[in-house]
Amino acid sequence: MTDAQETAADSPLRTTGGAPPDDVEAAPIPLLEPRDGIPPVIADEASLAQVIAAFAAGSGPVAVDAERASGYRYGQRAYLVQLRREGAGTALIDPAACPDLSGLGEALSGVEWVLHAATQDLPCLREIGMVPTRLFDTELAGRLAGYPRVGLGAMVESVLGFVLEKGHSAVDWSTRPLPEPWLRYAALDVELLVDLRDALEKELDRQGKLDWAQQEFQAIASAPPAEPRKDPWRRTSGMHKVRRRRQMAAVRELWQTRDRIARRRDVSPGKVIGDASIVEAALALPPNVHALAALNGFGHRMGRRQLEQWQAAIDRARALPEAELPQPGQPVAGPPPPRAWADRDPAAAARLSAARAAVSTLAEQLSMPQENLISPDVVRRLCWEPPKPVDAASVTTVLTGHGARPWQVEQVTPALVTALSVNS
């Protein structure tokens, strides 16, 4: 019996094996439970201490996942953390009840953490004290290995031959108590993550890409926390319709008012008022509550007091001196948008076109997405301000300075040197 067959024999997941012979009646495939059943949710310090001890004593990599309440609660904090490790089984931890998991993070220091789409979960894990020193990202591994679909369900099916029972990814994970079907879903998310990691490691090694993946994983693990966005109100959906500076000031005041309300209520900002309503009010700049109430999103279900706080935000924007109004656009470090290159610097536009074509061809040859071969932003910066002279050493220096990993530099440098010679 192969490893995959042994796994299938006791797996809680549905297999995707081929159709039975014509003379054999197909048996219905039952919906099975996780191998260890659904563990109780850890919600007190005594139980957490037991989990920490068990996982510290386990062996091999640890599968880690986190569930957030995006679209329901303010921010991106974790509302459930799932782990699985050989010798320790599966644990489901409630970070709302146990907000400090630094002890668990310390117990797993030096252990390889296996995550799927690590950059999505690492910020919320960091908030509760869980920071890996080593990791393996199964989604990124799938991208580098050339799999066309890299969601967890698709990867488990294509690599291991099982179908994950999905359907609760977008629920409100701040709900308490968590329903049993949600907990089953959560437990299954880490059930075969280490098996997937092992299979992908073998495939990457077969393709000669394992060292590339390890460089990527180390870059993720060692990356500092992301800096807060400057002027996040500028990312309001529909902002492109807002042309006048006074209207931009109204967007800013309305956005900041909404953010304060959402933070206080601990709800998603979109549940307070939508972006479309903010933009409509900013464009109209209504002079009073009565005019505001006639706009979409500010109608009959909004009380007088609520209307007054939105009108106050608009009034603040209307009263700002001209010198304090926000400037159009947002100062951007680096080159201008590529659509402007042909007019501003035709030679740079030609270099960028050649570089993009070269990267696309190479990515196809290596069976991976272009953005994983080299960041498009790095290519733009290189083409806008190429080094002088253009040679392998100077291009290597620029790429490395912008954070490209050694394997990326090695792969793309010859093609980019040729591309930079266009119209130079």
Side-chain angles (χ1 to χ4, degrees), residues 7-30:
T7 303
D10 64 353
S11 171
L13 308 176
R14 293 184 177 182
T15 180
T16 59
D22 292 339
D23 58 344
V24 176
E25 183 178 350
I29 303 175

Side-chain angles (χ1 to χ4, degrees), residues 169-206:
S169 59
V171 300
D172 181 2
W173 286 95
S174 68
T175 300
R176 294 295 184 272
L178 286 165
E180 184 174 302
W182 300 11
L183 296 175
R184 180 186 298 109
Y185 162 90
L188 290 177
D189 263 3
V190 292
E191 184 79 21
L192 289 185
L193 210 48
V194 172
D195 301 72
L196 180 60
R197 171 240 181 269
D198 292 345
L200 288 171
E201 182 181 58
K202 291 178 182 177
E203 178 60 22
L204 288 167
D205 191 37
R206 186 188 70 80

Side-chain angles (χ1 to χ4, degrees), residues 168-398:
H168 300 294
S169 59
V171 300
D172 181 2
W173 286 95
S174 68
T175 300
R176 294 295 184 272
L178 286 165
E180 184 174 302
W182 300 11
L183 296 175
R184 180 186 298 109
Y185 162 90
L188 290 177
D189 263 3
V190 292
E191 184 79 21
L192 289 185
L193 210 48
V194 172
D195 301 72
L196 180 60
R197 171 240 181 269
D198 292 345
L200 288 171
E201 182 181 58
K202 291 178 182 177
E203 178 60 22
L204 288 167
D205 191 37
R206 186 188 70 80
Q207 295 184 23
K209 299 175 180 176
L210 183 56
D211 180 60
W212 302 359
Q214 289 170 341
Q215 290 182 38
E216 293 297 306
F217 302 156
Q218 183 55 41
I220 294 173
S222 60
E227 293 288 333
R229 281 199 177 105
K230 183 180 180 181
D231 293 344
W233 58 270
R234 291 182 183 270
R235 298 175 63 86
T236 303
S237 180
M239 189 69 190
H240 62 281
K241 302 175 186 177
V242 182
R243 305 288 185 181
R244 292 162 45 199
R245 293 173 63 201
R246 184 78 57 189
Q247 294 170 333
M248 293 172 58
V251 171
R252 180 176 64 188
E253 293 293 337
L254 289 164
W255 189 98
Q256 291 174 346
T257 297
R258 180 181 68 174
D259 193 66
R260 287 193 296 270
I261 295 170
R263 185 188 296 270
R264 186 179 72 245
R265 294 182 186 171
D266 190 18
V267 297
S268 168
K271 288 188 173 295
V272 176
I273 196 168
D275 281 8
S277 297
I278 287 179
V279 169
E280 184 171 351
L283 292 173
L285 289 175
N288 53 52
V289 168
H290 180 73
L292 177 63
L295 302 179
N296 288 330
F298 298 93
H300 64 281
R301 290 194 296 175
M302 188 171 288
R304 176 79 184 191
R305 185 175 177 182
Q306 290 176 298
L307 285 170
E308 287 175 348
Q309 67 184 350
W310 299 117
Q311 185 62 45
I314 294 169
D315 291 344
R316 287 194 296 272
R318 292 166 65 95
L320 277 177
E322 195 75 18
E324 296 181 21
L325 295 177
Q327 294 296 325
Q330 187 173 12
V332 177
R339 63 180 177 272
W341 287 30
D343 292 332
R344 294 183 57 175
D345 190 337
R351 290 192 295 267
L352 181 61
S353 178
R356 283 174 163 174
V359 169
S360 176
T361 298
L362 184 56
E364 187 173 348
Q365 293 171 353
L366 295 172
S367 298
M368 70 173 64
Q370 297 177 42
E371 63 270 20
N372 292 115
L373 174 58
I374 188 70
S375 164
D377 179 66
V378 171
V379 174
R380 287 192 293 269
R381 291 171 184 270
L382 176 68
C383 292
W384 185 252
E385 294 183 353
K388 295 180 181 180
V390 171
D391 55 30
S394 64
V395 169
T396 292
T397 298
V398 172

Side-chain angles (χ1 to χ4, degrees), residues 47 111 124 135 139 141 163 175 253 259 286 298 325 337 346 365 376 409 417:
S47 300
V111 175
C124 69
L135 65 83
E139 185 203 46
V163 176
T175 300
E253 293 293 337
D259 193 66
F298 298 93
L325 295 177
Q365 293 171 353
V409 173
V417 168

Side-chain angles (χ1 to χ4, degrees), residues 56-68:
S59 61
V62 57
V64 182
D65 191 26
E67 306 294 349
R68 299 176 298 279

